[in-house]
Amino acid sequence: MADILVIDDEDNLSYSLQLALKRAGHSCRVADTLKAGLAECERQPPDLVLLDMQLPDGNGIDLMAHLRKEGFDIPTIVITAFG
C-alpha cells in the first residue's frame, strides 16, 4: 500500500482519483494548491505525487523543482488537461 498525494484543483478529478486509489488499497491525500501540496510533502512525504500542471497559485513543475532542491526524492506523475 502506498501513500499517494494528489495535488489538483479540480474537485471532481481529485475525488475520483481518491476513490480509485483507496479502492486499490492505497492511502490518499488531496491538496488543491501548490502551497497546500508543499505543506503536505513537508508534513509527511508521500510515496507518490500526482501533480496537476496548472494550479491557482502556480505551475506544478515549479513545485517539483522546489521539492528536488529541498532534497525530497518523491516520484511524481504530472497530469494536465492542457496540451
Side-chain angles (χ1 to χ4, degrees):
M1 172 170 58
D3 176 35
I4 301 171
L5 174 60
V6 176
I7 305 174
D8 196 303
D9 61 327
E10 293 293 329
D11 292 337
N12 290 336
L13 178 62
S14 295
Y15 180 73
S16 295
L17 287 170
Q18 188 175 37
L19 281 178
L21 292 167
K22 286 185 175 186
R23 284 186 188 142
H26 303 289
S27 63
C28 183
R29 297 177 276 154
V30 174
D32 60 357
T33 64
L34 292 178
K35 183 178 178 179
L38 178 59
E40 283 294 317
C41 288
E42 290 174 340
R43 183 181 66 79
Q44 172 86 30
D47 298 315
L48 174 70
V49 172
L50 297 177
L51 176 62
D52 189 10
M53 285 281 294
Q54 301 293 325
L55 291 156
D57 56 346
N59 185 308
I61 298 298
D62 295 336
L63 177 63
M64 278 180 35
H66 179 78
L67 289 172
R68 299 243 190 280
K69 185 177 125 191
E70 295 298 316
F72 291 93
D73 188 23
I74 304 168
T76 303
I77 297 171
V78 176
I79 54 179
T80 186
F82 300 96

